[in-house]
Amino acid sequence: PDAVGWYGWIMALEPQDDGRRVLVGAAALLGRPEAGEVELGFGVLEAFRGHGVASEAVRLLSRWALENGAGQVVVHVDQSDEG
């Protein structure tokens, strides 16, 4: 229970008309905070890049981490993924 939320998260679109959700990527807080700091990593399927999916995931997971004990969230973005 202490690890809930600190590891893998699935990124999916809101349910479609048929009720199915579409997987668009995954993200993870890389363990519980150490000295108040936690790293966040993510990946978005190519077809969904450039639509703000990663930005929203970083914003939401950073807020969750800060509300649950992290003092700082570190995100590494590959320059080739920016845009």
Side-chain angles (χ1 to χ4, degrees):
D2 290 341
V4 172
W6 290 106
Y7 294 95
W9 293 74
I10 298 297
M11 294 188 288
L13 299 178
E14 292 295 324
Q16 305 300 299
D17 292 338
D18 60 6
R20 293 185 306 147
R21 296 183 71 107
V22 176
L23 176 70
V24 298
L29 294 162
L30 307 177
R32 295 186 58 79
E34 291 186 25
E37 181 177 287
V38 67
E39 289 189 59
L40 189 161
F42 61 89
V44 177
L45 295 171
E46 190 170 348
F48 298 99
R49 293 181 188 160
H51 300 284
V53 174
S55 296
E56 184 175 6
V58 168
R59 181 177 52 80
L60 292 172
L61 284 178
S62 294
R63 181 178 351 152
W64 185 93
L66 294 169
E67 290 173 352
N68 287 277
Q72 180 177 352
V73 178
V74 177
V75 181
H76 301 281
V77 178
D78 186 352
Q79 188 175 13
S80 65
D81 290 339
E82 292 181 21

